C-alpha cells in the first residue's frame, strides 16, 4: 500500500517517540485491511525537509516491522528512473532518458537528436532535422538552474498590482523587433515571472523549418503533435510580450494602448485554443472525461469532475479575496481551458487596468482578486462538456498563425508592430 503521509506534511512535533507512534498507527491501519500489507513510501522528504534529522528518520523507519516498509528511492542512486510530477509533454526528454538505461557509452546527444526525428516521424526530412538541431541548442539547452519553465502569462497569470511592474530599457532583438525587458520592482510571492532562456528568433526559425517541410510528413501523428507544441511555445512567449506591452501602456496612462494590446492578447488566446484543438494531446475534454469515468454514481461523477477541474486551476483553500497559494500549479495548455478559463481570467485583469486609467484611480487589486476567485470557483463547479476529439488541420493552422503573428513580410503583422512602435515614440516625446 502507498502512504506518503509526511510528504509536504511535516509532523507537528519532532519528538522521536511521537513520530514512532504515528508510523506504528499508520501501519496498524494498513494491517486492518490486509494482514500481509507492505508500506511503500517515497523517500524524497528525507532530503528536502530539514525536519527529518537522523533521530526522526530512525523513529519512523523503525516503527514498522522489518520487511514491511519499502522506501522508494527517487534520486536514482541505484539504477535509472524518472520521478516527474507531470508527463505527456516534451516526449524527446523521456525518450532519451528511457534509452539511457541500455547505453554503456556516453551518448553523442547531437547525433542522437539528428536521428530522433527519423525514428519519430518514420522518415528523414533534412529541414526537420535541422529544426530539431536548433531546438537542441535553444529550448532544450537551459543551463541557468531555473526549475520551473511553465510560468507564462497565459497559464500563470500575474496576481500583482501593475504599479509594481516597471520597464527597464535594456534593448534586445526579439521577434524581429527591438524590445525593452520588463521587470518587477520588488520580489513578490504573487507573481512568478515568465522564464526565457533562449533566443526566440532562433526558435522561430526552427518553427519555419517545421512548417516548410510539413507537407512531406503531415500524416504523421507525432509530427502534428510536435508542430502544435512548437507553435504553442513560440506564441506563448509572444503573449508574454503583449502582456508586458499592455502594462507599459498602462504605466504611460495610455488607455487606447491598453485596450488595443489587451484585446490582441485575448485574440491570441482564442487563436491558441484553436491551434491546440488540432491534436488529441492538447485537449481538456479527455482529462475531465477520464475523471468522470471512474465514478460509480452521479454524486461521485460530480465530485470527480470538480476534483479534476480544481487540480488544474486553483486548489480549494482560498477565501473570497485571497487566492490559494496552489494556483496554476498544474496549469495546462489545453484547448477548452484557454477559451473557457484562461482567456476570461485575463479579461478581468485587463478590465481593471482600463478602469484604473479611465477613473484616474489606483488599480483595484482587491476587486480583481475577488472576481478572479469567483470565476475560478464557478468554473470548478460547472458541468459543461468539452470535446475529446481533435478538430482542425495542424499544419494549416500553424502556418496561418505564423503568418498572422510572426511573419514580418506579412503587411498586417508589420503594420501592427510599426503602429505600436510609433505610438510608444509619440508617448515618450
Amino acid at each position: 500500500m502507498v502512504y506518503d503521509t509526511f510528504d509536504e506534511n511535516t509532523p507537528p512535533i519532532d519528538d522521536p517517540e511521537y513520530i514512532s507512534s504515528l508510523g506504528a498507527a499508520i501501519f496498524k491501519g494498513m494491517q486492518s485491511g490486509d494482514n500481509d500489507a507492505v508500506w511503500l513510501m517515497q523517500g524524497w522528504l528525507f532530503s528536502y525537509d530539514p525536519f527529518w534529522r537522523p533521530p526522526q528518520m530512525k523513529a519512523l523507519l523503525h516503527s514498522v516491522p522489518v520487511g514491511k516498509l519499502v522506501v522508494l528511492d527517487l534520486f536514482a542512486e541505484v539504477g535509472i528512473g524518472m520521478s516527474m510530477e507531470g508527463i505527456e509533454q516534451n516526449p524527446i526528454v523521456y525518450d532519451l532518458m528511457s534509452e539511457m538505461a541500455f547505453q554503456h557509452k556516453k551518448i553523442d546527444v547531437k547525433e542522437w537528436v539528428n536521428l530522433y526525428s527519423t525514428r519519430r516521424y518514420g522518415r528523414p526530412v533534412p529541414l526537420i532535422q535541422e529544426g530539431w538541431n536548433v531546438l537542441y541548442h535553444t529550448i532544450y539547452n537551459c543551463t541557468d538552474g531555473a526549475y520551473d519553465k511553465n510560468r507564462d502569462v497565459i497559464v500563470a497569470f500575474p496576481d500583482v498590482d501593475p504599479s509594481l511592474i516597471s520597464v527597464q530599457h535594456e534593448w534586445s532583438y526579439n521577434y524581429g523587433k527591438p524590445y525593452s525587458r520588463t521587470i518587477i520592482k520588488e520580489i513578490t510571492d504573487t507573481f512568478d515571472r515568465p522564464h526565457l532562456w533562449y533566443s526566440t528568433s532562433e526558435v522561430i526559425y526552427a518553427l519555419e523549418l517545421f512548417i516548410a517541410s510539413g507537407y512531406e510528413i503531415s500524416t504523421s501523428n507525432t509530427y502534428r503533435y510536435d508542430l502544435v507544441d512548437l507553435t504553442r511555445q513560440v506564441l506563448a512567449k509572444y503573449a508574454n510580450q503583449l502582456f508586458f506591452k499592455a502594462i507599459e501602456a498602462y504605466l504611460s496612462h495610455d488607455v487606447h494602448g491598453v485596450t488595443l494590446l489587451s484585446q490582441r492578447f485575448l485574440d491570441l488566446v482564442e487563436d491558441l485554443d484553436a491551434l491546440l484543438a488540432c491534436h488529441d494531446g492538447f485537449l481538456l475534454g479527455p482529462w475531465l472525461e477520464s475523471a468522470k469515468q471512474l465514478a460509480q454514481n452521479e454524486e461521485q461523477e460530480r465530485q470527480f469532475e470538480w476534483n479534476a477541474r480544481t487540480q488544474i486551476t486553483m486548489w480549494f483553500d482560498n477565501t473570497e479575496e485571497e487566492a490559494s497559494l496552489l494556483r496554476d500549479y498544474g496549469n495546462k495548455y489545453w484547448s477548452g481551458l484557454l477559451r473557457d478559463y484562461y482567456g476570461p481570467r485575463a479579461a478581468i485583469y485587463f478590465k481593471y487596468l482600463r478602469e484604473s486609467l479611465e477613473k484616474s484611480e489606483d488599480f483595484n487589486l482587491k476587486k480583481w482578486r475577488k472576481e478572479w476567485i469567483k470565476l475560478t470557483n464557478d468554473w470548478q463547479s460547472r458541468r459543461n462538456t468539452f470535446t475529446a476529439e481533435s478538430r482542425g488541420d495542424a499544419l494549416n493552422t500553424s502556418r496561418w498563425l505564423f503568418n498572422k503573428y510572426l511573419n514580418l513580410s506579412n503587411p498586417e503583422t508589420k503594420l501592427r508592430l510599426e503602429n505600436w512602435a510609433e505610438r510608444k515614440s509619440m508617448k515618450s516625446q
Side-chain angles (χ1 to χ4, degrees):
M1 295 183 182
V2 179
Y3 279 81
D4 286 322
T5 312
F6 304 113
D7 282 348
E8 300 181 0
N9 187 31
T10 304
I13 59 176
D14 64 359
D15 177 32
E17 289 189 12
Y18 172 74
I19 294 172
S20 180
S21 69
L22 290 179
I26 292 168
F27 186 68
K28 183 178 179 180
M30 295 182 189
Q31 284 187 309
S32 67
D34 181 357
N35 194 51
D36 296 322
V38 175
W39 182 356
L40 175 66
M41 64 175 291
Q42 299 182 68
W44 70 284
L45 74 160
F46 298 133
S47 63
Y48 88 88
D49 190 343
F51 173 90
W52 295 100
R53 302 181 300 280
Q56 288 72 32
M57 288 191 281
K58 181 178 180 180
L60 178 59
L61 297 176
H62 285 209
S63 67
V64 181
V66 175
K68 292 294 186 178
L69 174 61
V70 177
V71 179
L72 184 61
D73 167 31
L74 295 180
F75 279 83
E77 294 171 353
V78 178
I80 291 179
M82 293 178 278
S83 57
M84 52 279 169
E85 289 195 34
I87 196 170
E88 297 184 359
Q89 31 73 20
N90 292 298
I92 188 173
V93 174
Y94 303 116
D95 194 322
L96 177 57
M97 282 295 296
S98 299
E99 188 176 315
M100 293 294 291
F102 306 97
Q103 295 289 340
H104 300 288
K105 298 180 180 179
K106 183 178 179 179
I107 289 180
D108 182 336
V109 179
K110 183 177 180 180
E111 180 62 24
W112 188 93
V113 171
N114 192 49
L115 295 173
Y116 173 76
S117 64
T118 301
R119 299 198 311 271
R120 185 157 172 80
Y121 309 139
R123 55 172 294 191
V125 180
L127 291 182
I128 296 290
Q129 289 175 308
E130 173 60 20
W132 270 110
N133 185 52
V134 172
L135 297 181
Y136 162 54
H137 288 97
T138 52
I139 289 179
Y140 293 105
N141 186 36
C142 182
T143 58
D144 60 12
Y147 70 93
D148 194 349
K149 310 297 188 296
N150 193 21
R151 306 306 298 174
D152 293 320
V153 172
I154 291 177
V155 296
F157 203 82
D159 175 29
V160 65
D161 189 313
S163 65
L164 294 179
I165 304 176
S166 63
V167 177
Q168 275 189 346
H169 294 286
E170 296 180 358
W171 296 93
S172 301
Y173 195 76
N174 213 358
Y175 288 96
K177 286 285 180 177
Y179 81 104
S180 52
R181 187 169 67 90
T182 311
I183 65 167
I184 304 301
K185 285 183 179 177
E186 59 185 56
I187 298 174
T188 72
D189 292 330
T190 54
F191 180 38
D192 293 328
R193 281 173 283 177
H195 183 215
L196 186 61
W197 63 97
Y198 58 82
S199 164
T200 53
S201 60
E202 290 184 61
V203 175
I204 290 172
Y205 170 64
L207 177 58
E208 285 188 274
L209 296 176
F210 268 70
I211 293 173
S213 295
Y215 67 93
E216 298 184 51
I217 49 175
S218 60
T219 58
S220 166
N221 185 53
T222 48
Y223 163 75
R224 294 195 302 272
Y225 177 96
D226 292 342
L227 178 64
V228 169
D229 202 21
L230 180 56
T231 309
R232 173 210 56 77
Q233 176 73 17
V234 170
L235 292 179
K237 298 304 179 185
Y238 180 68
N240 293 342
Q241 290 197 20
L242 284 178
F243 172 79
F244 287 123
K245 285 179 179 178
I247 296 300
E248 188 175 353
Y250 172 83
L251 297 174
S252 301
H253 305 283
D254 180 0
V255 179
H256 179 73
V258 170
T259 302
L260 180 68
L261 290 162
S262 60
Q263 188 56 54
R264 286 180 183 165
F265 181 97
L266 296 175
D267 290 344
L268 177 54
V269 172
E270 288 283 334
D271 287 343
L272 269 172
D273 195 273
L275 169 73
L276 297 168
C278 294
H279 196 282
D280 294 343
F282 301 95
L283 303 180
L284 171 61
W287 170 254
L288 298 181
E289 292 305 315
S290 64
K292 291 190 289 185
Q293 288 169 8
L294 296 173
Q296 297 181 4
N297 54 54
E298 177 63 25
E299 182 181 359
Q300 281 190 351
E301 182 177 301
R302 184 180 296 274
Q303 180 64 53
F304 290 176
E305 180 176 358
W306 182 90
N307 290 347
R309 287 171 177 256
T310 298
Q311 185 175 337
I312 58 176
T313 52
M314 184 187 298
W315 292 20
F316 204 68
D317 58 346
N318 60 271
T319 66
E320 287 188 358
E321 298 178 357
E322 287 294 329
S324 167
L325 292 177
L326 282 170
R327 58 181 181 270
D328 297 326
Y329 177 75
N331 64 62
K332 305 291 183 184
Y333 278 101
W334 282 344
S335 178
L337 190 57
L338 271 73
R339 181 186 69 251
D340 211 49
Y341 177 69
Y342 292 142
R345 175 175 65 177
I348 295 171
Y349 190 88
F350 291 136
K351 178 184 71 173
Y352 285 108
L353 281 182
R354 293 192 301 273
E355 285 189 7
S356 171
L357 295 179
E358 291 166 353
K359 297 179 180 179
S360 298
E361 297 175 350
D362 292 339
F363 181 83
N364 199 321
L365 191 64
K366 184 176 180 179
K367 283 188 175 180
W368 140 250
R369 285 177 174 165
K370 190 171 183 177
E371 193 168 342
W372 159 42
I373 292 169
K374 184 180 186 304
L375 167 78
T376 303
N377 293 161
D378 289 347
W379 190 86
Q380 290 164 341
S381 298
R382 288 169 62 185
R383 300 299 307 279
N384 56 318
T385 59
F386 298 87
T387 182
E389 296 182 359
S390 62
R391 60 181 183 276
D393 184 284
L395 180 57
N396 287 339
T397 303
S398 178
R399 184 184 291 115
W400 167 63
L401 292 176
F402 184 93
N403 288 329
K404 181 176 181 179
Y405 291 105
L406 305 169
N407 187 359
L408 293 180
S409 65
N410 181 346
E412 292 186 8
T413 305
K414 188 175 181 181
L415 181 63
R416 284 202 301 270
L417 292 169
E418 289 176 347
N419 284 345
W420 164 249
E422 182 179 351
R423 285 187 58 78
K424 182 177 176 183
S425 176
M426 292 174 61
K427 277 286 181 180
S428 63
Q429 293 176 357

